[in-house]
Amino acid sequence: MKMKNPEVAKLLRMMAIYLEMKGVSFKPQAYEKAAYSIEALDEDIEDFVKKKGKEGLKNLPGVGESIAEKIIEYLKTGKIKELEELKKEVPVDVETLTSIEGVGPKIVYKLYKALGIKTIEDLEKACLEHKIRRLPGFGEKSEEKILKGIQFYKQGGQRAILGFIIPAVEELVNYLKESGLAKEVVPAGSYRRRKETIGDIDILAVSDKPEKLMDYFVNFEGVEHVYAKGPTKTNVRLKIGLDADLRVVPEESFGAALAYFTGSKDHNIQMRELAIKKGFKLNEYGLFDKNEKRIAGRTEEEIYEKLGLEWIPPEMRENRGEIQLALEHKLPKLIEYGSIRGDLQVQTNWSDGQNSIEEMVEEAIKLGLEYICITDHTKSLAVAGGLDEKRLLKQIEEIDKLNKKYRGKITILKGAEVNINKDGSLDLSDEVLAKLDFVGVAVHSHFNLPRKEQTERIKKALSNPNVHCLFHPTGRIINKRPAYEVDIDEIIDFAKKNNKILEIDAYPDRLDLKDEHIKKCVEAGVKMVIDTDAHSVLHLQFLDLGVAQARRGWATRKDILNTLPLKEFLKYLESIKKK
Ligand code: DGT
Ligand code: CA
Ligand code: CA
Ligand code: ZN
């Protein structure tokens, strides 16, 4: 069972929030770090503790004596006493409140002490009654910002972020498969389409013992609440904060049900119309001819074939023209999972990453990568411990040494995530930038510039001849912060004309570029790279999440440069400089 890992991580994060609230120093960061470690642990935390005990826990990044004890306490008793006490002392909905942009733990504490604010509704009301601006340390601007944050949260805050829930859903699906009670178990819906956020999980099964399967399903450890239970459909709430449906469908309808429940809804509507045009009827039970005879339904493939369509990958089923292409047998051959050869955005403990260069490199080797580019932050991002010229030159030396050590195993490229100044200039000298293999630039400040100014600022940064790539091009953080105002079409056009690369940042809550932007890049012939923006060894596994996003944007292998072997990748970088 891996199901307890997200729970434990969540509680550690909660501890971090409460400790920060109380103004405790250092400890909150340790709890955050520990939460990361537990979240992406390859093993169930309970098994791990059974095997390796407290000492094993203490070997994980961020976990010291006291955190290890708390984890063990939770696994034994289902509670962390200190956390329970902290919650009693400040009984507010910290999880929701701190999800609002601009509202951190300390602000939550102040708001509770001054105005008794416990929930997002309380906070919204206080904003609307202009109570916030009158508090010491707040003003009209911060009140407006909080209100905006609340509105943004309400629009999307409830959907789960795909990359964060995949392990838990896989766990559930494996659990169902292991029951021996089902012939098929497949998650459909937005999860199968690899949409960046997920409303709920729709699982389909074929079983000749549906009652037993449903009993087994509701006994899953990760189930928090059962809304409704029947032999064909059962609907539950999972502890990770997401609903899941399990539907048992007849075997001869499995493919039809899978197609139907994979969606999207708009795609389904088009498919049904196409079937009608061809004289058939299509629904979740099958494809039927004029005499109501089922002519396909066991598999998705046979349905597509009978309709004269190429099989459409789930990531494309959004009614963006894919059905027409499938009719003409002209679907693009999407980039395949596992085809990225090198990660190109990786932070280390030289700036705000949690691991050393060597640790990141070792992990990349384990994952089978051919190259990895180290891109620490640069000096003006002081909060992240950004590197100045001197330190970057030192890092270059260090990488030269490590490349000798790792020869034949992996190549470490020298790079940086260079901060763009307000005026579009860069915060490192050209002389040092010229020594790097791969240079990405990024906006980390002045998110609120007017659209035109922001667009010009980014274009100016990109126009530096030492710069190859724009990192996380729109700056959004899913469920937290909207993209800054920027004319993405103009950026794409500029990238095309100047041979610049746009990044698909695969970190789960970034996924920036978005699918629709990727599609525009593909159409415009702008090259992209997929990388993880890792700040820990645990993040390097997110590459395929970026591939999923790229597939949703119809990208093929040739659109994504780091599918290339190292030599060809470097040759490409050289060639764009000469153009
Ligand atoms: P989500 O859960 O909001 O992330 O998005 P989906 O796409 O998983 O949507 P969901 O869970 O409401 O329904 C699963 C699939 O079932 C959906 O993708 C398409 C199909 N479906 C649901 N309602 C309808 C409908 O009214 N008409 C048609 N044609 N299909 C539907
Ligand atoms: Ca769904
Ligand atoms: Ca659903
Ligand atoms: Zn960073």
Side-chain angles (χ1 to χ4, degrees):
M1 279 311 97
K2 207 151 76 193
M3 275 314 279
K4 278 206 175 147
N5 297 31
E7 283 170 52
V8 172
K10 201 168 144 187
L11 287 171
L12 295 177
R13 245 181 220 123
M14 205 61 115
M15 280 296 296
I17 293 175
Y18 271 103
L19 292 171
E20 198 178 331
M21 219 180 238
K22 315 277 310 252
V24 178
S25 46
F26 303 120
K27 271 195 183 173
Q29 287 91 317
Y31 273 97
E32 269 291 333
K33 215 171 183 174
Y36 267 132
S37 305
I38 305 300
E39 207 159 46
L41 196 64
D42 246 357
E43 205 182 335
D44 167 45
I45 181 75
E46 281 190 298
D47 292 345
F48 181 90
V49 169
K50 255 182 229 148
K51 263 189 266 163
K52 302 192 180 139
K54 188 155 86 180
E55 291 312 306
L57 279 174
K58 281 161 72 180
N59 284 331
L60 299 175
V63 183
E65 179 73 22
S66 112
I67 295 182
E69 274 170 7
K70 298 231 161 49
I71 294 172
I72 291 169
E73 181 192 347
Y74 175 71
L75 294 177
K76 269 198 195 136
T77 68
K79 271 203 264 266
I80 298 176
K81 218 170 130 218
E82 188 181 341
L83 182 61
E84 296 301 314
E85 277 158 16
L86 287 164
K87 278 186 184 166
K88 247 184 244 158
E89 198 184 319
V90 190
V92 303
D93 180 5
V94 276
E95 217 188 330
T96 307
L97 288 170
T98 52
S99 305
I100 300 165
E101 218 221 321
V103 181
K106 286 192 181 132
I107 293 186
V108 171
Y109 191 59
K110 270 193 204 163
L111 293 172
Y112 173 69
K113 285 282 167 191
L115 301 169
I117 288 171
K118 289 185 180 173
T119 63
I120 189 168
E121 288 77 24
D122 294 347
L123 182 57
E124 187 172 22
K125 192 158 167 271
C127 284
L128 294 171
E129 289 168 358
H130 297 319
K131 283 184 179 160
I132 306 291
R133 63 175 68 178
R134 278 181 248 133
L135 294 176
F138 294 81
E140 203 172 316
K141 260 202 161 158
S142 45
E143 186 179 84
E144 275 164 18
K145 197 174 163 206
I146 290 174
L147 197 56
K148 246 176 122 180
I150 293 172
Q151 279 150 4
F152 185 71
Y153 176 85
K154 283 188 162 173
Q155 281 163 24
Q158 290 78 358
R159 295 179 62 84
I161 291 172
L162 174 67
F164 293 142
I165 58 143
I166 285 176
V169 176
E170 282 179 352
E171 190 63 32
L172 170 56
V173 170
N174 287 336
Y175 168 86
L176 292 171
K177 281 184 180 162
E178 281 160 13
S179 72
L181 294 166
K183 256 193 201 167
E184 302 267 9
V185 181
V186 181
S190 51
Y191 182 84
R192 183 165 180 241
R193 304 198 310 279
R194 286 298 186 247
K195 204 172 153 168
E196 58 193 36
T197 62
I198 304 295
D200 72 350
I201 308 288
D202 311 276
I203 303 173
L204 296 180
V206 172
S207 170
D208 42 24
K209 299 187 187 73
E211 271 100 358
K212 275 199 176 150
L213 180 66
M214 293 309 189
D215 287 341
Y216 181 85
F217 174 47
V218 298
N219 275 323
F220 181 57
E221 249 205 285
V223 168
E224 184 176 88
H225 174 74
V226 180
Y227 298 112
K229 182 163 168 277
T232 56
K233 189 181 168 198
T234 293
N235 185 212
V236 303
R237 178 86 178 165
L238 297 176
K239 286 181 188 161
I240 52 169
L242 197 65
D243 293 347
D245 293 340
L246 175 62
R247 284 188 175 80
V248 173
V249 300
E251 185 161 12
E252 66 275 17
S253 295
F254 178 70
L258 183 58
Y260 180 86
F261 288 107
T262 295
S264 66
K265 194 173 156 184
D266 290 344
H267 170 92
N268 287 353
I269 291 169
Q270 288 301 114
M271 287 286 281
R272 211 176 303 170
E273 275 180 18
L274 176 75
I276 292 169
K277 250 191 239 154
K278 299 208 166 200
F280 301 126
K281 193 178 93 186
L282 177 65
N283 59 30
E284 61 266 49
Y285 301 103
L287 182 68
F288 299 87
D289 68 10
K290 281 188 229 57
N291 308 316
E292 297 279 315
K293 186 173 166 266
R294 191 195 328 257
I295 55 168
R298 172 65 187 90
T299 66
E300 266 189 351
E301 284 79 0
E302 66 184 28
I303 296 172
Y304 277 89
E305 205 195 305
K306 286 266 160 40
L307 285 169
L309 293 170
E310 258 182 291
W311 181 80
I312 304 174
E315 297 91 330
M316 291 184 78
R317 300 184 196 171
E318 297 290 348
N319 192 28
R320 292 174 179 164
E322 69 280 6
I323 295 175
Q324 188 55 37
L325 283 185
L327 261 175
E328 296 164 12
H329 285 241
K330 280 187 189 155
L331 284 177
K333 191 170 175 336
L334 301 184
I335 175 176
E336 280 162 32
Y337 289 103
S339 58
I340 300 297
R341 291 174 188 254
D343 203 330
L344 296 173
Q345 201 207 141
V346 172
Q347 277 77 221
T348 71
N349 57 11
W350 283 67
S351 65
D352 65 347
Q354 299 185 16
N355 295 95
S356 64
I357 301 177
E358 280 199 81
E359 284 167 334
M360 296 308 264
V361 168
E362 297 273 354
E363 185 69 19
I365 294 171
K366 263 193 230 158
L367 294 172
L369 295 182
E370 197 179 315
Y371 46 99
I372 178 172
C373 184
I374 305 298
T375 56
D376 278 297
H377 293 287
T378 55
K379 63 186 173 192
S380 61
L381 202 63
V383 285
L387 309 184
D388 58 13
E389 281 84 355
K390 219 173 115 195
R391 297 239 309 138
L392 188 55
L393 287 171
K394 253 193 109 174
Q395 188 182 61
I396 289 175
E397 266 176 45
E398 165 89 8
I399 291 177
D400 282 333
K401 263 190 236 150
L402 289 173
N403 268 326
K404 286 194 188 117
K405 175 171 169 187
Y406 289 105
R407 185 172 315 201
K409 290 194 177 138
I410 194 166
T411 301
I412 311 164
L413 300 178
K414 300 151 195 166
E417 178 179 9
V418 183
N419 217 17
I420 305 179
N421 295 327
K422 188 180 176 200
D423 65 357
S425 60
L426 302 180
D427 73 341
L428 278 187
S429 73
D430 285 338
E431 197 197 338
V432 173
L433 290 180
K435 293 187 197 295
L436 299 173
D437 298 305
F438 181 70
V439 176
V441 292
V443 169
H444 288 115
S445 62
H446 305 286
F447 295 113
N448 292 326
L449 295 182
R451 188 181 177 88
K452 190 151 174 37
E453 204 180 320
Q454 193 71 277
T455 307
E456 289 307 316
R457 173 193 185 197
I458 293 171
K459 277 161 59 181
K460 182 169 170 209
L462 275 176
S463 66
N464 182 312
N466 294 305
V467 171
H468 300 103
C469 180
L470 177 61
F471 282 163
H472 40 73
T474 74
R476 63 120 175 221
I477 310 251
I478 302 173
N479 284 355
K480 209 163 192 182
R481 181 173 86 199
Y484 38 73
E485 289 287 334
V486 63
D487 188 336
I488 192 75
D489 294 327
E490 206 175 316
I491 299 288
I492 289 172
D493 190 48
F494 184 85
K496 176 64 190 164
K497 288 191 179 121
N498 296 277
N499 291 303
K500 301 294 176 177
I501 302 161
L502 300 185
E503 179 194 44
I504 300 171
D505 187 315
Y507 196 78
D509 66 5
R510 282 204 181 260
L511 291 177
D512 183 6
L513 301 166
K514 290 209 264 198
D515 49 9
E516 67 220 54
H517 299 150
I518 295 168
K519 193 156 179 278
K520 284 182 175 181
C521 287
V522 170
E523 280 158 15
V526 167
K527 300 288 184 198
M528 292 164 280
V529 293
I530 294 172
D531 52 45
T532 62
D533 197 352
H535 282 70
S536 146
V537 288
L538 305 169
H539 302 157
L540 291 170
Q541 59 182 338
F542 292 133
L543 276 176
D544 267 349
L545 202 59
V547 174
Q549 187 81 338
R551 288 168 64 87
R552 288 182 55 83
W554 298 20
T556 65
R557 176 180 280 261
K558 71 169 192 356
D559 297 307
I560 309 295
L561 285 170
N562 51 342
T563 57
L564 290 173
L566 176 66
K567 260 196 195 150
E568 287 173 44
F569 175 67
L570 292 176
K571 214 156 84 190
Y572 182 88
L573 295 185
E574 268 311 303
S575 78
I576 59 178
K577 264 196 181 169
K578 285 182 200 132
K579 273 180 196 163

PDB file of all heavy atoms in Angstrom, residues 347 352 377 535, ligand 4:
ATOM      1  N   GLN A 347      17.774  22.243 -10.589  1.00  0.00           N
ATOM      2  CA  GLN A 347      18.403  23.067  -9.566  1.00  0.00           C
ATOM      3  C   GLN A 347      19.090  22.175  -8.544  1.00  0.00           C
ATOM      4  O   GLN A 347      18.627  21.062  -8.288  1.00  0.00           O
ATOM      5  CB  GLN A 347      17.368  23.945  -8.861  1.00  0.00           C
ATOM      6  CG  GLN A 347      17.019  25.231  -9.586  1.00  0.00           C
ATOM      7  CD  GLN A 347      16.084  25.026 -10.783  1.00  0.00           C
ATOM      8  OE1 GLN A 347      16.246  25.627 -11.809  1.00  0.00           O
ATOM      9  NE2 GLN A 347      15.109  24.160 -10.667  1.00  0.00           N
ATOM     10  N   ASP A 352      18.566  26.915  -4.761  1.00  0.00           N
ATOM     11  CA  ASP A 352      17.513  26.485  -3.840  1.00  0.00           C
ATOM     12  C   ASP A 352      17.107  25.018  -3.974  1.00  0.00           C
ATOM     13  O   ASP A 352      16.092  24.614  -3.435  1.00  0.00           O
ATOM     14  CB  ASP A 352      16.279  27.395  -3.969  1.00  0.00           C
ATOM     15  CG  ASP A 352      15.628  27.284  -5.331  1.00  0.00           C
ATOM     16  OD1 ASP A 352      16.258  26.708  -6.245  1.00  0.00           O
ATOM     17  OD2 ASP A 352      14.498  27.765  -5.493  1.00  0.00           O
ATOM     18  N   HIS A 377      19.595  28.931 -10.110  1.00  0.00           N
ATOM     19  CA  HIS A 377      19.132  30.315 -10.225  1.00  0.00           C
ATOM     20  C   HIS A 377      20.328  31.263 -10.207  1.00  0.00           C
ATOM     21  O   HIS A 377      21.414  30.898  -9.758  1.00  0.00           O
ATOM     22  CB  HIS A 377      18.211  30.670  -9.065  1.00  0.00           C
ATOM     23  CG  HIS A 377      16.920  29.928  -9.075  1.00  0.00           C
ATOM     24  ND1 HIS A 377      15.917  30.207  -9.969  1.00  0.00           N
ATOM     25  CD2 HIS A 377      16.472  28.897  -8.322  1.00  0.00           C
ATOM     26  CE1 HIS A 377      14.902  29.392  -9.743  1.00  0.00           C
ATOM     27  NE2 HIS A 377      15.217  28.585  -8.754  1.00  0.00           N
ATOM     28  N   HIS A 535      13.881  20.374  -8.117  1.00  0.00           N
ATOM     29  CA  HIS A 535      14.571  20.979  -6.982  1.00  0.00           C
ATOM     30  C   HIS A 535      14.950  19.883  -5.985  1.00  0.00           C
ATOM     31  O   HIS A 535      15.324  20.171  -4.850  1.00  0.00           O
ATOM     32  CB  HIS A 535      13.695  22.029  -6.305  1.00  0.00           C
ATOM     33  CG  HIS A 535      13.642  23.338  -7.044  1.00  0.00           C
ATOM     34  ND1 HIS A 535      12.996  23.482  -8.250  1.00  0.00           N
ATOM     35  CD2 HIS A 535      14.178  24.547  -6.761  1.00  0.00           C
ATOM     36  CE1 HIS A 535      13.126  24.737  -8.653  1.00  0.00           C
ATOM     37  NE2 HIS A 535      13.834  25.412  -7.774  1.00  0.00           N
TER      38      HIS A 535
HETATM   39 ZN    ZN B   4      14.201  27.325  -7.880  1.00  0.00          ZN
END
